[in-house]
Amino acid sequence: MKKGLLIALGIIVLLGIWVYSSYNTVVTKSTAADVQWAQVETVYQRRFDLIPNLVNTVKGFYSQENKIYSEIAQARTQYAGAATPDAKAAAASNLESSLGRLLVITENYPTLASSAVVRDFSTSLEGSENRISVERNRFNEIIGDYNATIARFPANLIAGMFGFHTRSYFKSDAAAATAPAVNFE
């Protein structure tokens, strides 16, 4: 009787250790999935922070240049339509003033610098997109490991007892295959 009680107690202890170990494994993998999804959200936030800066930079450079180009075109039109020498002098003065501002912009923000700033933001955005892709892949790997763990016997018994369910993989939206339209209005 004593021997049978010890065997039963031993089986209960081993079963308890197995339940404890299996539960902790599932919790650890579930937590890893949560942590990885938080990482995906972090790189999403970086992307969301970069996009307005990129758009505003492009808008800023183009509106600055467009304003000068508009002033130059207006001064040229005024000069061409001027009938008197005073009107031509005033139009020429306006043209020279506009050209002077264009030269200052060109010296301070040459086209290459404008392109470099835009290129830098684009490179940062591309880096964010690459990070997002890497983090999504890591998330899917972790989800795959988690789902496999809770599907395998005997861990599936523990997962079912404690309410662990399979998790969905990250899947791209069908609309992601279509490039977004960019409008700088």
Side-chain angles (χ1 to χ4, degrees), residues 69 99-113:
Y69 293 145
L99 285 173
R101 283 195 297 278
L102 179 62
L103 290 175
V104 168
I105 289 172
T106 304
E107 289 171 5
N108 292 332
Y109 305 103
T111 303
L112 293 174

Side-chain angles (χ1 to χ4, degrees), residues 4-18:
L5 183 63
L6 286 176
I7 292 174
L9 187 60
I11 290 173
I12 291 172
V13 168
L14 288 176
L15 187 61
I17 291 171
W18 170 78

Side-chain angles (χ1 to χ4, degrees), residues 160-183:
M161 283 183 358
F162 290 101
F164 291 98
H165 302 286
T166 59
R167 293 186 176 204
S168 298
Y169 291 97
F170 176 84
K171 295 178 185 167
S172 294
D173 190 16
T178 306
V182 177
N183 187 357

Side-chain angles (χ1 to χ4, degrees), residues 125-144:
L125 189 59
E126 181 181 336
S128 288
E129 294 301 322
N130 288 339
R131 287 183 188 132
I132 289 169
S133 178
V134 166
E135 298 303 336
R136 285 175 180 166
N137 286 339
R138 286 182 184 159
F139 175 76
N140 283 344
E141 288 171 4
I142 288 172
I143 291 299

Side-chain angles (χ1 to χ4, degrees), residues 23 26-27 30 146 150 156 158-167:
Y23 177 81
V26 173
V27 167
S30 178
Y146 167 81
I150 66 167
N156 63 344
I158 301 303
M161 283 183 358
F162 290 101
F164 291 98
H165 302 286
T166 59
R167 293 186 176 204

Side-chain angles (χ1 to χ4, degrees), residues 32-181:
D34 292 339
V35 168
Q36 186 56 41
W37 183 250
Q39 185 60 30
V40 171
E41 288 180 326
T42 298
V43 291
Y44 275 155
Q45 186 61 50
R46 183 173 190 276
R47 175 213 278 162
F48 294 141
D49 292 344
L50 281 172
I51 288 173
N53 292 334
L54 176 61
V55 170
N56 289 333
T57 299
V58 171
K59 275 183 169 178
F61 281 113
Y62 285 129
S63 66
Q64 193 175 39
E65 293 166 0
N66 285 336
K67 182 179 177 188
I68 297 300
Y69 293 145
S70 177
E71 289 175 6
I72 290 170
Q74 184 179 7
R76 288 177 61 200
T77 301
Q78 286 174 347
Y79 186 84
T84 65
D86 288 340
K88 286 193 182 249
S93 178
N94 287 340
L95 180 62
E96 290 166 3
S97 176
S98 296
L99 285 173
R101 283 195 297 278
L102 179 62
L103 290 175
V104 168
I105 289 172
T106 304
E107 289 171 5
N108 292 332
Y109 305 103
T111 303
L112 293 174
S114 295
S115 296
V117 170
V118 172
R119 187 178 58 241
D120 288 347
F121 273 120
S122 296
T123 301
S124 294
L125 189 59
E126 181 181 336
S128 288
E129 294 301 322
N130 288 339
R131 287 183 188 132
I132 289 169
S133 178
V134 166
E135 298 303 336
R136 285 175 180 166
N137 286 339
R138 286 182 184 159
F139 175 76
N140 283 344
E141 288 171 4
I142 288 172
I143 291 299
D145 185 41
Y146 167 81
N147 286 344
T149 297
I150 66 167
R152 281 187 230 128
F153 181 81
N156 63 344
L157 300 174
I158 301 303
M161 283 183 358
F162 290 101
F164 291 98
H165 302 286
T166 59
R167 293 186 176 204
S168 298
Y169 291 97
F170 176 84
K171 295 178 185 167
S172 294
D173 190 16
T178 306

